[in-house]
């Protein structure tokens, strides 16, 4: 690192930290991204999230980079792990014991699996009438696709996202990250808290949340169907351009970087054109209005792109920032790791880690002024909290018996 490279703030875990959801127990049987992101939101605000993992562990643990489970470490901080053979009838009894005193249960099995294990919503709600049950699946608990595997890739294609992503003369482009799962996890966290509020309030009872991966990403694609019905035209793939406003694109700088620029209002377009020394373009009928600019985007982009290409990244940012124009750098991981804003805003922090020394991860999102998120513990080792969680629920003698029988592992 150079002297002007900011250092990420180093923070230690504090097991005594308490958040706004302190006292809320969440039994988490989910796997991979959507469920784990959902419960991460809750854990970051103090909920006791108990991961019930099979002997091989949550499949998220297997996503390793250079032999290290970075996804597990970052998405499962603040959680606890119990390792249990869920295929055994006695393991299923343990789930019922834990669900009986929990506030929430999250699962992401294919529809019908919970019922086959004797853990149907009806059975769980009979044990605990105020239990909030979140069921994450690819296509929902009902309908003709309920039997299909639930992978984010499928819903990213089915929702209409891939069809509008990329360039028109090339193949549709799927997102290079877990977009479908992430939208479901974030939608699910808010929906779970709505259901919890209802259970604790006048409604007074638990309920089942049918959370498909499809619906959240389909919802954020609004208003694609309304626009289609109005126009009869399919939204084209336009790369980084917008079909609503112009100019808007990614432009290459003199030193090989990229900047992104958006002028979604007439006032911002006026600032932009003045800043590049071309204010007269607003008097040109090709560029005078947004509708005209959308029709003539190529020639306008050539003008803007030419200006940007003559300057380095730093020169462009300084120039346009001084003019109040909405422009910014297109960042990658190496740039983000040493970025002043990211460090000073604590969007990234570093925490102690046995394998990496210091592990970079995201800070709290969102930030609450009165009840901020917590950093209580690192992502758990498999079965790390067996005794802490199961001894009070089962008793030491029963726990020892189940451990000897291979129902509890670790």
């Amino acid at each position: 690192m150079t002297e002007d490279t900011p250092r990420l703030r180093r923070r230690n875990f504090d097991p005594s930290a308490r958040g706004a959801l302190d006292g809320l127990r969440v039994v988490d049987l989910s796997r991979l991204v959507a469920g784990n992101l959902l419960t991460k939101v809750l854990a970051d605000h103090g909920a006791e999230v108990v991961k019930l993992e099979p002997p091989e562990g949550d499949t998220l643990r297997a996503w390793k980079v250079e032999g290290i489970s970075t996804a597990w470490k970052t998405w499962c901080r603040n959680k606890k792990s119990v390792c249990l053979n869920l295929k055994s009838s006695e393991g299923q009894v343990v789930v019922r014991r834990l669900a009986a005193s929990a506030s929430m249960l999250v699962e992401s099995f294919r529809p019908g699996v919970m019922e086959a294990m004797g853990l149907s919503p009806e059975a769980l709600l009979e044990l605990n009438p105020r239990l909030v049950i979140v069921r994450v699946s690819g296509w929902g608990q009902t309908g003709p696709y309920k039997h299909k595997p639930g992978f984010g890739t499928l819903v990213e294609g089915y929702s209409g996202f891939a069809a509008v992503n990329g360039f028109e003369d090339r193949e549709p482009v799927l997102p290079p990250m877990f977009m479908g799962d992430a939208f479901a996890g974030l939608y699910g966290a808010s929906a779970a808290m709505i259901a919890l509020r209802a259970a604790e309030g006048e409604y007074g009872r638990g309920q089942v949340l049918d959370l498909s991966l499809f619906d959240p990403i389909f919802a954020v694609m609004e208003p694609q169907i309304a626009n289609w019905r109005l126009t009869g035209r399919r939204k084209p793939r336009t790369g980084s351009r917008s079909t609503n406003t112009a100019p808007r694109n990614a432009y290459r700088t003199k030193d090989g970087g990229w900047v992104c620029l958006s002028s979604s209002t007439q006032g911002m377009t006026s600032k932009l054109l003045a800043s590049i020394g071309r204010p007269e373009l607003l008097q040109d009928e090709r560029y005078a209005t947004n509708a005209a600019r959308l029709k003539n985007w190529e020639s306008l982009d050539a003008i803007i792109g030419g200006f940007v290409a003559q300057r380095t990244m730093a020169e462009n940012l300084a120039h346009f920032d001084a003019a109040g124009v909405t422009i910014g750098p297109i960042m990658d991981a190496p740039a983000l790791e040493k970025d002043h804003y990211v460090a000073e805003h604590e969007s990234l922090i570093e925490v102690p880690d046995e394998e990496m020394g210091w592990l970079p991860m995201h800070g709290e999102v969102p930030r609450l002024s009165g009840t901020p998120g917590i950093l209580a513990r690192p992502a758990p080792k498999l079965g790390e909290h067996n005794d802490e969680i199961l001894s009070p629920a089962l008793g030491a003698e029963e726990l020892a018996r189940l451990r000897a029988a291979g129902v509890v592992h670790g």
Side-chain angles (χ1 to χ4, degrees):
M1 288 189 176
T2 62
E3 288 186 7
D4 63 344
T5 300
R7 179 178 291 279
L8 300 179
R9 182 181 173 190
R10 290 184 166 178
R11 292 174 53 182
N12 289 302
F13 293 102
D14 178 7
S16 67
R18 298 290 179 269
L21 299 181
D22 185 42
L24 173 70
R25 173 172 280 186
V26 180
V27 176
D28 184 2
L29 289 85
S30 70
R31 303 288 181 265
L32 294 178
V33 177
N36 274 315
L37 183 54
L38 189 165
T39 56
K40 177 181 183 288
V41 175
L42 307 180
D44 276 359
H45 289 275
E48 184 187 40
V49 174
V50 180
K51 293 285 305 176
L52 295 188
E53 301 186 69
E56 64 273 18
D58 187 321
T59 41
L60 188 63
R61 291 181 182 271
W63 289 6
K64 296 184 178 183
V65 178
E66 303 291 340
I68 296 177
S69 301
T70 52
W72 175 261
K73 290 174 183 285
T74 52
W75 281 327
C76 290
R77 68 185 185 192
N78 291 323
K79 301 179 186 180
K80 298 178 179 180
S81 172
V82 168
C83 188
L84 196 63
N85 182 2
L86 294 176
K87 294 180 180 179
S88 71
S89 59
E90 289 187 301
Q92 294 155 15
V93 170
V94 174
V95 176
R96 286 194 284 272
R97 294 280 291 273
L98 293 175
S101 59
S103 299
M104 193 179 297
L105 182 142
V106 180
E107 61 96 357
S108 61
F109 295 111
R110 193 179 299 190
V113 171
M114 289 287 283
E115 286 81 353
M117 292 193 295
L119 300 171
S120 68
E122 295 77 14
L124 294 174
L125 287 169
E126 186 175 348
L127 284 172
N128 183 352
R130 293 200 176 193
L131 183 67
V132 171
I133 303 171
V134 183
R135 309 195 73 178
V136 184
S137 65
W139 306 93
Q141 300 296 318
T142 61
Y145 286 176
K146 67 180 183 180
H147 66 284
K148 291 171 68 73
F151 284 83
T153 297
L154 304 184
V155 303
E156 288 152 5
Y158 207 108
S159 65
F161 172 81
V164 300
N165 191 41
F167 293 87
E168 191 68 11
D169 61 345
R170 294 172 231 174
E171 73 278 6
V173 178
L174 293 160
M177 38 73 75
F178 313 106
M179 182 180 287
D181 296 81
F183 282 139
L186 296 175
Y187 257 96
S190 59
M193 293 308 297
I194 292 169
L196 183 67
R197 172 69 185 270
E200 295 175 344
E202 186 176 346
Y203 183 69
R205 55 190 184 275
Q207 56 186 298
V208 179
L209 280 63
D210 182 358
L211 179 65
S212 72
L213 298 187
F214 174 76
D215 284 318
I217 190 170
F218 187 57
V220 301
M221 291 297 297
E222 287 280 35
Q224 64 170 326
I225 309 304
N227 292 345
W228 160 256
R229 182 172 294 181
L230 280 170
T231 67
R233 294 190 298 273
R234 180 186 62 79
K235 181 180 174 70
R237 293 191 292 280
T238 57
S240 296
R241 291 191 300 112
S242 168
T243 55
N244 298 315
T245 62
R248 193 263 197 182
N249 216 331
Y251 305 92
R252 195 175 185 108
T253 65
K254 182 179 180 180
D255 53 352
W258 290 87
V259 293
C260 49
L261 181 150
S262 175
S263 296
S264 55
T265 67
Q266 189 74 359
M268 185 55 67
T269 303
S270 178
K271 282 185 180 182
L272 167 64
L273 296 179
S275 74
I276 65 173
R278 301 296 303 274
E280 78 282 359
L281 291 178
L282 275 185
Q283 309 308 313
D284 188 321
E285 64 180 10
R286 294 173 298 169
Y287 312 122
T289 66
N290 183 62
R293 292 190 292 273
L294 281 170
K295 291 179 181 178
N296 296 283
W297 67 269
E298 288 182 276
S299 56
L300 183 57
D301 260 1
I303 295 169
I304 298 166
F307 183 92
V308 170
Q310 295 171 6
R311 293 158 178 80
T312 66
M313 171 75 78
E315 290 168 344
N316 275 295
L317 295 179
H319 174 84
F320 287 113
D321 282 349
V325 173
T326 45
I327 192 171
I330 292 180
M331 305 284 276
D332 58 13
L336 288 165
E337 186 185 21
K338 59 185 181 183
D339 183 70
H340 283 274
Y341 168 76
V342 169
E344 293 169 16
H345 192 60
E346 294 186 30
S347 298
L348 273 180
I349 59 174
E350 287 185 319
V351 298
D353 182 78
E354 291 180 356
E355 295 176 295
M356 293 184 63
W358 289 94
L359 169 71
M361 62 168 57
H362 293 101
E364 292 87 350
V365 182
R367 303 179 186 194
L368 280 65
S369 63
T371 57
I374 65 168
L375 199 63
R377 62 186 64 83
K381 296 181 175 65
L382 182 61
E384 179 180 344
H385 301 94
N386 285 348
D387 290 335
E388 177 185 336
I389 301 299
L390 296 181
S391 286
L394 306 175
E397 186 176 337
E398 177 66 2
L399 174 56
R401 187 187 71 80
L402 292 176
R403 186 173 268 134
V407 176
V408 174
H409 291 249

